[in-house]
Amino acid sequence: MSKINFGFEKIHQDEKENRVAGVFDSVAKNYDLMNDLMSFGMHRLWKEVLVEIAELNKDSYVLDVASGTCDIPKIVLREFPNNKVYATDINHNMLEVGYKRSIDENFFKNLYFGAASGEKLPFKDNTFDAIFVGFGIRNFTNIKVGLEEMRRCLKDNGNLIILEFSNPQSGIFQNIYDWYSFRILPKIGKLVANDENSYKYLVESIRMHPNQEKLKSMIIDSGYNKCKFFNLLNGVVAIHKAVK
Ligand code: SAM
Protein backbone atom coordinates (compact mmCIF):
# COMPACT_ATOMS: atom_id res chain seq x y z
CA MET A 1 0.00 0.00 0.00
CA SER A 2 1.28 3.51 -0.81
CA LYS A 3 2.80 5.67 1.91
CA ILE A 4 1.85 9.29 2.49
CA ASN A 5 3.08 12.20 4.62
CA PHE A 6 2.20 12.76 8.22
CA GLY A 7 4.31 15.88 8.72
CA PHE A 8 7.84 14.72 7.78
CA GLU A 9 7.03 11.11 8.67
CA LYS A 10 5.90 8.57 6.02
CA ILE A 11 2.93 6.45 7.10
CA HIS A 12 0.39 4.09 5.51
CA GLN A 13 -2.55 5.87 3.93
CA ASP A 14 -5.12 4.22 6.19
CA GLU A 15 -3.31 5.39 9.35
CA LYS A 16 -3.51 9.08 8.57
CA GLU A 17 -7.05 9.95 9.67
CA ASN A 18 -6.47 8.38 13.10
CA ARG A 19 -3.11 10.07 13.55
CA VAL A 20 -4.60 13.46 12.60
CA ALA A 21 -7.54 12.82 14.95
CA GLY A 22 -5.01 12.11 17.73
CA VAL A 23 -3.31 15.47 17.18
CA PHE A 24 -6.57 17.39 17.36
CA ASP A 25 -7.85 15.38 20.34
CA SER A 26 -4.72 16.52 22.07
CA VAL A 27 -4.90 20.21 21.09
CA ALA A 28 -8.71 20.72 21.26
CA LYS A 29 -8.81 22.18 24.80
CA ASN A 30 -6.15 24.82 24.12
CA TYR A 31 -6.76 25.27 20.40
CA ASP A 32 -8.31 28.76 20.48
CA LEU A 33 -5.73 30.18 22.90
CA MET A 34 -2.86 28.62 20.95
CA ASN A 35 -4.20 30.00 17.65
CA ASP A 36 -4.20 33.51 19.08
CA LEU A 37 -0.71 33.12 20.56
CA MET A 38 0.88 31.50 17.50
CA SER A 39 -0.53 33.92 14.93
CA PHE A 40 -0.47 37.01 17.20
CA GLY A 41 -4.25 37.10 16.73
CA MET A 42 -3.92 37.43 12.94
CA HIS A 43 -5.95 34.27 12.22
CA ARG A 44 -9.04 36.22 13.25
CA LEU A 45 -8.42 38.80 10.53
CA TRP A 46 -7.63 36.09 7.93
CA LYS A 47 -10.98 34.40 8.66
CA GLU A 48 -12.82 37.74 8.30
CA VAL A 49 -11.19 38.16 4.87
CA LEU A 50 -12.13 34.57 3.98
CA VAL A 51 -15.82 35.20 4.65
CA GLU A 52 -15.70 38.55 2.82
CA ILE A 53 -14.19 36.91 -0.28
CA ALA A 54 -16.98 34.30 -0.35
CA GLU A 55 -19.57 37.00 -1.26
CA LEU A 56 -22.42 35.15 0.47
CA ASN A 57 -26.05 36.12 0.06
CA LYS A 58 -28.44 36.67 2.93
CA ASP A 59 -29.99 33.21 2.48
CA SER A 60 -26.98 31.07 1.46
CA TYR A 61 -26.50 27.41 2.38
CA VAL A 62 -22.99 27.15 3.78
CA LEU A 63 -20.82 24.18 4.71
CA ASP A 64 -17.74 24.63 6.87
CA VAL A 65 -15.51 21.55 6.46
CA ALA A 66 -12.91 20.91 9.19
CA SER A 67 -14.80 23.46 11.24
CA GLY A 68 -12.95 22.73 14.49
CA THR A 69 -14.06 25.21 17.13
CA CYS A 70 -16.37 27.04 14.68
CA ASP A 71 -14.59 30.38 14.14
CA ILE A 72 -15.84 30.53 10.54
CA PRO A 73 -19.53 29.76 11.29
CA LYS A 74 -19.40 32.44 13.97
CA ILE A 75 -18.34 35.10 11.44
CA VAL A 76 -20.80 33.90 8.76
CA LEU A 77 -23.75 33.97 11.17
CA ARG A 78 -22.76 37.38 12.57
CA GLU A 79 -22.79 38.83 9.03
CA PHE A 80 -25.67 36.72 7.64
CA PRO A 81 -27.91 35.53 10.50
CA ASN A 82 -30.35 33.86 8.08
CA ASN A 83 -27.78 31.66 6.35
CA LYS A 84 -27.96 27.95 7.14
CA VAL A 85 -24.51 26.85 8.26
CA TYR A 86 -23.34 23.24 8.65
CA ALA A 87 -20.21 22.70 10.76
CA THR A 88 -18.48 19.36 10.11
CA ASP A 89 -15.22 17.87 11.32
CA ILE A 90 -13.71 14.41 11.85
CA ASN A 91 -12.94 15.32 15.43
CA HIS A 92 -15.67 15.20 18.10
CA ASN A 93 -13.57 17.00 20.70
CA MET A 94 -12.96 19.99 18.45
CA LEU A 95 -16.65 20.14 17.45
CA GLU A 96 -17.70 19.89 21.08
CA VAL A 97 -15.65 22.99 21.91
CA GLY A 98 -17.33 24.67 18.91
CA TYR A 99 -20.79 23.57 20.03
CA LYS A 100 -20.28 24.96 23.56
CA ARG A 101 -18.89 28.21 22.16
CA SER A 102 -21.91 28.60 19.85
CA ILE A 103 -24.14 28.56 22.94
CA ASP A 104 -21.88 30.69 25.16
CA GLU A 105 -21.29 33.24 22.41
CA ASN A 106 -24.82 33.09 21.01
CA PHE A 107 -24.36 32.00 17.40
CA PHE A 108 -26.23 28.67 17.59
CA LYS A 109 -29.31 29.76 15.62
CA ASN A 110 -29.16 28.31 12.06
CA LEU A 111 -25.98 26.35 12.94
CA TYR A 112 -25.99 22.55 12.53
CA PHE A 113 -23.30 20.07 13.54
CA GLY A 114 -22.15 16.73 12.17
CA ALA A 115 -19.03 14.57 12.40
CA ALA A 116 -17.79 13.94 8.85
CA SER A 117 -14.63 13.83 6.82
CA GLY A 118 -14.18 16.36 4.05
CA GLU A 119 -13.31 13.37 1.88
CA LYS A 120 -16.73 11.70 2.40
CA LEU A 121 -19.52 14.14 3.08
CA PRO A 122 -23.02 13.05 4.14
CA PHE A 123 -24.79 15.54 1.86
CA LYS A 124 -26.65 15.25 -1.44
CA ASP A 125 -25.17 16.52 -4.71
CA ASN A 126 -25.62 20.26 -5.40
CA THR A 127 -26.56 21.29 -1.84
CA PHE A 128 -24.38 24.28 -0.88
CA ASP A 129 -23.81 27.79 -2.21
CA ALA A 130 -20.43 27.97 -0.48
CA ILE A 131 -18.04 25.55 1.18
CA PHE A 132 -15.23 26.77 3.45
CA VAL A 133 -12.17 24.86 4.62
CA GLY A 134 -10.05 26.81 7.13
CA PHE A 135 -6.63 25.34 7.95
CA GLY A 136 -8.04 21.85 7.41
CA ILE A 137 -7.22 20.65 3.92
CA ARG A 138 -3.53 20.01 4.57
CA ASN A 139 -4.61 17.32 7.05
CA PHE A 140 -6.70 15.38 4.51
CA THR A 141 -5.48 11.90 3.61
CA ASN A 142 -6.11 12.62 -0.08
CA ILE A 143 -6.61 16.27 -0.99
CA LYS A 144 -7.86 15.48 -4.52
CA VAL A 145 -10.57 13.16 -3.16
CA GLY A 146 -11.64 15.94 -0.78
CA LEU A 147 -11.71 18.57 -3.55
CA GLU A 148 -13.90 16.32 -5.72
CA GLU A 149 -16.20 15.46 -2.83
CA MET A 150 -16.69 19.12 -1.93
CA ARG A 151 -17.35 19.93 -5.61
CA ARG A 152 -20.06 17.25 -5.66
CA CYS A 153 -21.82 18.95 -2.72
CA LEU A 154 -21.64 22.46 -4.24
CA LYS A 155 -24.44 23.87 -6.39
CA ASP A 156 -23.49 25.00 -9.90
CA ASN A 157 -21.75 28.38 -9.56
CA GLY A 158 -21.19 27.64 -5.86
CA ASN A 159 -17.83 28.62 -4.36
CA LEU A 160 -15.16 26.63 -2.59
CA ILE A 161 -13.05 28.92 -0.41
CA ILE A 162 -9.92 27.49 1.19
CA LEU A 163 -7.76 29.20 3.81
CA GLU A 164 -4.45 27.44 4.33
CA PHE A 165 -0.82 28.02 5.20
CA SER A 166 1.27 28.38 2.07
CA ASN A 167 4.64 29.63 0.83
CA PRO A 168 6.13 33.04 1.74
CA GLN A 169 7.11 34.90 -1.42
CA SER A 170 10.33 36.59 -0.23
CA GLY A 171 13.50 34.73 0.85
CA ILE A 172 14.06 36.88 3.95
CA PHE A 173 10.50 36.31 5.03
CA GLN A 174 10.91 32.56 4.47
CA ASN A 175 14.00 32.51 6.76
CA ILE A 176 12.28 34.35 9.59
CA TYR A 177 9.20 32.17 9.17
CA ASP A 178 11.28 28.95 9.26
CA TRP A 179 13.06 30.05 12.41
CA TYR A 180 9.77 30.99 14.08
CA SER A 181 8.01 27.77 12.96
CA PHE A 182 10.68 25.22 13.85
CA ARG A 183 12.30 26.90 16.87
CA ILE A 184 9.60 28.91 18.57
CA LEU A 185 6.20 27.35 17.80
CA PRO A 186 6.83 23.87 19.26
CA LYS A 187 8.22 25.57 22.40
CA ILE A 188 5.06 27.65 22.78
CA GLY A 189 3.12 24.37 22.32
CA LYS A 190 5.15 22.78 25.10
CA LEU A 191 4.90 25.73 27.45
CA VAL A 192 1.20 26.50 27.05
CA ALA A 193 -0.34 23.16 26.09
CA ASN A 194 2.38 20.74 27.29
CA ASP A 195 2.27 19.22 23.81
CA GLU A 196 5.41 19.83 21.75
CA ASN A 197 4.78 16.90 19.36
CA SER A 198 1.37 18.03 18.12
CA TYR A 199 2.71 21.48 17.32
CA LYS A 200 5.74 19.94 15.62
CA TYR A 201 3.31 17.99 13.38
CA LEU A 202 1.35 21.16 12.62
CA VAL A 203 4.54 22.95 11.49
CA GLU A 204 5.76 19.98 9.44
CA SER A 205 2.36 19.48 7.78
CA ILE A 206 2.50 23.10 6.62
CA ARG A 207 5.87 22.46 4.94
CA MET A 208 4.57 19.36 3.16
CA HIS A 209 1.43 21.09 1.87
CA PRO A 210 1.33 22.07 -1.85
CA ASN A 211 2.22 25.72 -2.53
CA GLN A 212 -0.24 28.29 -3.94
CA GLU A 213 0.22 27.39 -7.63
CA LYS A 214 0.22 23.63 -7.04
CA LEU A 215 -2.98 23.77 -4.96
CA LYS A 216 -4.58 25.91 -7.69
CA SER A 217 -3.78 23.28 -10.34
CA MET A 218 -5.09 20.49 -8.09
CA ILE A 219 -8.34 22.45 -7.73
CA ILE A 220 -8.66 22.91 -11.52
CA ASP A 221 -7.79 19.21 -12.08
CA SER A 222 -10.61 18.32 -9.68
CA GLY A 223 -13.17 19.83 -12.06
CA TYR A 224 -13.66 23.41 -10.82
CA ASN A 225 -14.13 26.02 -13.56
CA LYS A 226 -12.12 28.89 -12.19
CA CYS A 227 -9.70 29.33 -9.34
CA LYS A 228 -7.80 32.36 -8.09
CA PHE A 229 -5.77 32.84 -4.95
CA PHE A 230 -4.91 35.74 -2.67
CA ASN A 231 -1.72 35.83 -0.60
CA LEU A 232 -1.89 37.14 2.95
CA LEU A 233 1.19 38.07 5.02
CA ASN A 234 3.57 37.61 2.07
CA GLY A 235 2.06 34.20 1.26
CA VAL A 236 2.43 32.67 4.73
CA VAL A 237 -1.28 32.12 4.26
CA ALA A 238 -3.28 31.94 1.02
CA ILE A 239 -6.98 31.96 0.21
CA HIS A 240 -8.07 29.98 -2.87
CA LYS A 241 -11.50 30.71 -4.30
CA ALA A 242 -12.85 28.28 -6.90
CA VAL A 243 -16.17 28.04 -8.73
CA LYS A 244 -18.09 24.87 -9.64
N1 SAM B 1 -11.37 25.50 10.66
C1 SAM B 1 -10.95 25.71 12.02
C2 SAM B 1 -10.15 26.99 12.13
O1 SAM B 1 -9.79 27.53 11.08
O2 SAM B 1 -9.86 27.41 13.26
C3 SAM B 1 -10.16 24.51 12.57
C4 SAM B 1 -8.83 24.26 11.91
S1 SAM B 1 -7.88 23.02 12.69
C5 SAM B 1 -6.24 23.57 12.38
C6 SAM B 1 -8.00 21.68 11.56
C7 SAM B 1 -9.26 20.85 11.72
O3 SAM B 1 -9.33 19.96 10.62
C8 SAM B 1 -9.29 19.99 12.97
O4 SAM B 1 -10.44 20.27 13.72
C9 SAM B 1 -9.31 18.56 12.43
O5 SAM B 1 -10.02 17.66 13.23
C10 SAM B 1 -9.95 18.76 11.08
N2 SAM B 1 -9.70 17.72 10.08
C11 SAM B 1 -8.55 17.10 9.80
N3 SAM B 1 -8.70 16.23 8.80
C12 SAM B 1 -10.00 16.30 8.41
C13 SAM B 1 -10.77 15.66 7.41
N4 SAM B 1 -10.26 14.75 6.60
N5 SAM B 1 -12.08 16.00 7.30
C14 SAM B 1 -12.63 16.92 8.13
N6 SAM B 1 -11.95 17.56 9.10
C15 SAM B 1 -10.65 17.26 9.23
Side-chain angles (χ1 to χ4, degrees), residues 20 24 31 35 47 66-68 71 89-91 94 116-119 134-136 139-140:
V20 168
F24 288 100
Y31 179 79
N35 251 359
K47 288 166 184 165
S67 194
D71 277 356
D89 199 291
I90 51 164
N91 193 292
M94 292 288 282
S117 165
E119 293 160 78
F135 301 117
N139 299 298
F140 284 17

Coordinates of all heavy atoms in Angstrom, one line a residue, residues 20 24 31 35 47 66-68 71 89-91 94 116-119 134-136 139-140, ligand 1:
V20 N -4.2 12.1 12.6 CA -4.6 13.5 12.6 C -5.6 13.7 13.7 O -5.5 14.7 14.5 CB -5.2 13.9 11.2 CG1 -5.9 15.2 11.3 CG2 -4.1 13.9 10.1
F24 N -5.5 16.4 17.0 CA -6.6 17.4 17.4 C -7.3 17.0 18.6 O -7.8 17.9 19.3 CB -7.5 17.7 16.2 CG -6.8 18.5 15.1 CD1 -6.2 17.9 14.0 CD2 -6.6 19.8 15.3 CE1 -5.5 18.6 13.0 CE2 -5.9 20.6 14.4 CZ -5.3 20.0 13.2
Y31 N -6.9 24.9 21.8 CA -6.8 25.3 20.4 C -7.0 26.8 20.2 O -6.1 27.4 19.5 CB -7.7 24.5 19.5 CG -7.7 24.8 18.1 CD1 -6.6 24.4 17.3 CD2 -8.6 25.7 17.5 CE1 -6.5 24.7 15.9 CE2 -8.5 26.1 16.2 CZ -7.5 25.6 15.4 OH -7.4 26.0 14.1
N35 N -4.1 29.3 18.9 CA -4.2 30.0 17.7 C -3.9 31.5 17.8 O -3.2 32.1 17.0 CB -5.6 29.9 17.1 CG -5.7 28.9 16.0 OD1 -4.7 28.4 15.5 ND2 -6.9 28.7 15.5
K47 N -9.7 35.0 8.8 CA -11.0 34.4 8.7 C -12.1 35.4 8.3 O -13.0 35.1 7.5 CB -11.3 33.7 10.0 CG -10.5 32.4 10.1 CD -10.6 31.8 11.5 CE -9.6 30.7 11.7 NZ -9.3 30.3 13.1
A66 N -14.0 20.8 8.2 CA -12.9 20.9 9.2 C -13.1 22.1 10.1 O -12.2 22.9 10.3 CB -11.6 21.0 8.5
S67 N -14.4 22.2 10.6 CA -14.8 23.5 11.2 C -14.1 23.7 12.6 O -14.1 24.8 13.1 CB -16.3 23.4 11.4 OG -16.8 24.6 11.8
G68 N -13.7 22.6 13.2 CA -13.0 22.7 14.5 C -13.8 23.4 15.5 O -14.9 22.9 15.8
D71 N -14.9 28.9 14.4 CA -14.6 30.4 14.1 C -15.3 30.9 12.9 O -15.8 32.0 12.9 CB -13.1 30.6 13.9 CG -12.3 30.7 15.2 OD1 -12.9 30.7 16.3 OD2 -11.0 30.8 15.1
D89 N -16.6 18.1 11.0 CA -15.2 17.9 11.3 C -15.1 16.4 11.6 O -16.1 15.7 12.0 CB -14.8 18.7 12.6 CG -13.3 18.9 12.7 OD1 -12.6 17.8 13.0 OD2 -12.8 20.0 12.5
I90 N -13.9 15.8 11.5 CA -13.7 14.4 11.9 C -13.5 14.3 13.4 O -13.6 13.2 13.9 CB -12.5 13.7 11.2 CG1 -11.2 14.6 11.3 CG2 -12.7 13.4 9.7 CD1 -10.0 13.8 11.1
N91 N -13.3 15.4 14.0 CA -12.9 15.3 15.4 C -14.0 15.8 16.4 O -14.4 17.0 16.4 CB -11.7 16.1 15.7 CG -11.1 15.8 17.0 OD1 -11.6 16.2 18.0 ND2 -9.9 15.2 17.0
M94 N -13.0 18.6 19.0 CA -13.0 20.0 18.4 C -14.4 20.5 18.3 O -14.7 21.7 18.7 CB -12.2 20.0 17.1 CG -10.7 19.7 17.2 SD -9.8 21.0 17.9 CE -9.6 22.2 16.5
A116 N -18.0 14.5 10.2 CA -17.8 13.9 8.9 C -16.4 14.3 8.3 O -15.9 15.4 8.7 CB -18.9 14.5 7.9
S117 N -15.9 13.5 7.5 CA -14.6 13.8 6.8 C -14.9 14.7 5.6 O -15.9 14.4 4.9 CB -13.9 12.5 6.4 OG -12.9 12.9 5.5
G118 N -14.0 15.6 5.3 CA -14.2 16.4 4.0 C -14.0 15.5 2.8 O -14.3 15.9 1.7
E119 N -13.5 14.3 3.0 CA -13.3 13.4 1.9 C -14.5 12.5 1.6 O -14.6 11.7 0.7 CB -12.1 12.5 2.1 CG -10.8 13.4 2.1 CD -9.6 12.8 2.8 OE1 -9.0 11.9 2.2 OE2 -9.3 13.1 4.0
G134 N -11.0 25.9 6.5 CA -10.1 26.8 7.1 C -9.0 26.0 7.8 O -9.3 25.3 8.8
F135 N -7.8 26.0 7.4 CA -6.6 25.3 8.0 C -6.9 23.9 8.2 O -6.5 23.3 9.2 CB -6.2 26.0 9.3 CG -5.8 27.5 9.1 CD1 -6.6 28.5 9.7 CD2 -4.8 27.8 8.3 CE1 -6.2 29.8 9.6 CE2 -4.4 29.1 8.1 CZ -5.1 30.1 8.8
G136 N -7.7 23.3 7.3 CA -8.0 21.9 7.4 C -7.5 21.0 6.3 O -7.2 19.8 6.5
N139 N -4.5 18.5 6.2 CA -4.6 17.3 7.0 C -5.3 16.2 6.4 O -5.4 15.1 6.9 CB -5.3 17.6 8.4 CG -4.6 18.7 9.2 OD1 -3.5 18.5 9.6 ND2 -5.3 19.8 9.4
F140 N -6.0 16.4 5.2 CA -6.7 15.4 4.5 C -5.7 14.3 4.1 O -4.6 14.5 3.8 CB -7.4 15.9 3.2 CG -8.6 16.8 3.4 CD1 -8.9 17.3 4.7 CD2 -9.4 17.0 2.4 CE1 -10.1 18.1 4.8 CE2 -10.6 17.8 2.5 CZ -10.9 18.3 3.8
Ligands
SAM1 N1 -11.4 25.5 10.7 C1 -10.9 25.7 12.0 C2 -10.1 27.0 12.1 O1 -9.8 27.5 11.1 O2 -9.9 27.4 13.3 C3 -10.2 24.5 12.6 C4 -8.8 24.3 11.9 S1 -7.9 23.0 12.7 C5 -6.2 23.6 12.4 C6 -8.0 21.7 11.6 C7 -9.3 20.9 11.7 O3 -9.3 20.0 10.6 C8 -9.3 20.0 13.0 O4 -10.4 20.3 13.7 C9 -9.3 18.6 12.4 O5 -10.0 17.7 13.2 C10 -9.9 18.8 11.1 N2 -9.7 17.7 10.1 C11 -8.5 17.1 9.8 N3 -8.7 16.2 8.8 C12 -10.0 16.3 8.4 C13 -10.8 15.7 7.4 N4 -10.3 14.8 6.6 N5 -12.1 16.0 7.3 C14 -12.6 16.9 8.1 N6 -11.9 17.6 9.1 C15 -10.6 17.3 9.2

